[in-house]
Amino acid sequence: MEQAGDEELDGASTPELEGLSAAIRKEFAGGADELIPLLQFVQKEIGYLPEQSLREIARLTRVPAASVFGTATFYAQFRLQPAGKHVIRVCRGTACHVRGGARILREVEKQLGIKPGESTPDLKYALETVACIGACALAPTMVIGDDTYGQMTTKKVPDILKQRD
Ligand code: FES
């Protein structure tokens, strides 16, 4: 890996990036083929991909910044904004759709005042949709963190959110 001087990473404009330089050097050789693993690593460490982190990754991998930005925005797994603490994933798969998944999503949107891909202003919740969580027999479903909620109804939504408060 092209060695990044501490001053280069530590001088990044986002405090979240500070302290990551050593871990990145330890984990990665800096090849262009590590672009996605690097994006995943930074997101796992600080929860999202600040713009400065994308520039740093471009420098480390020698991948053009436009390509790094393009990759980060192409894949739904990457976030460019801070995410809410509790990530709510509402299933939009076929089994859930035919059993009212859209109504569940609308209720969550109404309760939180956000759309998929957004977080509440207090960063308590983030809302996402998924294609299938693999629990179709329980449709419609949603997931918060590691907890799966099956046979969802719109009435269950506020109670579940209250439990997370
Ligand atoms: S379609 Fe929703 S869990 Fe499979």
Side-chain angles (χ1 to χ4, degrees):
M1 166 183 213
E2 179 191 4
Q3 289 298 305
D6 284 342
E7 68 287 354
E8 290 171 308
L9 280 176
D10 291 346
S13 61
T14 51
E16 296 99 327
L17 285 177
E18 291 177 14
L20 266 187
S21 59
I24 287 173
R25 279 198 295 272
K26 190 174 164 204
E27 298 283 331
F28 297 94
D33 58 335
E34 292 181 312
L35 174 57
I36 288 180
L38 259 167
L39 291 169
Q40 290 169 329
F41 178 82
V42 172
Q43 180 162 289
K44 183 164 175 267
E45 291 298 313
I46 58 180
Y48 74 111
L49 298 169
E51 182 179 330
Q52 186 60 33
S53 74
L54 299 180
R55 296 192 189 288
E56 289 294 328
I57 289 170
R59 189 182 61 75
L60 290 169
T61 57
R62 299 185 181 194
V63 172
S67 298
V68 174
F69 278 77
T71 302
T73 53
F74 179 78
Y75 291 104
Q77 67 177 292
F78 296 124
R79 295 178 170 282
L80 302 187
Q81 301 294 328
K85 181 178 169 202
H86 301 295
V87 180
I88 302 173
R89 297 183 173 91
V90 179
C91 184
R92 295 182 95 166
T94 305
C96 288
H97 179 73
V98 299
R99 293 188 198 166
R103 283 196 302 275
I104 304 305
L105 178 59
R106 277 198 302 274
E107 184 64 21
V108 176
E109 289 175 348
K110 190 177 110 186
Q111 293 286 328
L112 298 180
I114 56 175
K115 297 284 185 191
E118 296 176 350
S119 294
T120 53
D122 60 2
L123 293 182
K124 198 169 198 175
Y125 297 101
L127 178 58
E128 295 179 353
T129 59
V130 290
C132 176
I133 63 163
C136 305
L138 300 176
T141 63
M142 72 178 202
V143 173
I144 305 180
D146 294 328
D147 299 324
T148 299
Y149 298 90
Q151 299 175 329
M152 282 296 301
T153 63
T154 53
K155 284 186 179 162
K156 286 184 181 177
V157 171
D159 290 340
I160 290 169
L161 294 178
K162 260 186 219 132
Q163 290 168 18
R164 294 280 167 169
D165 275 347

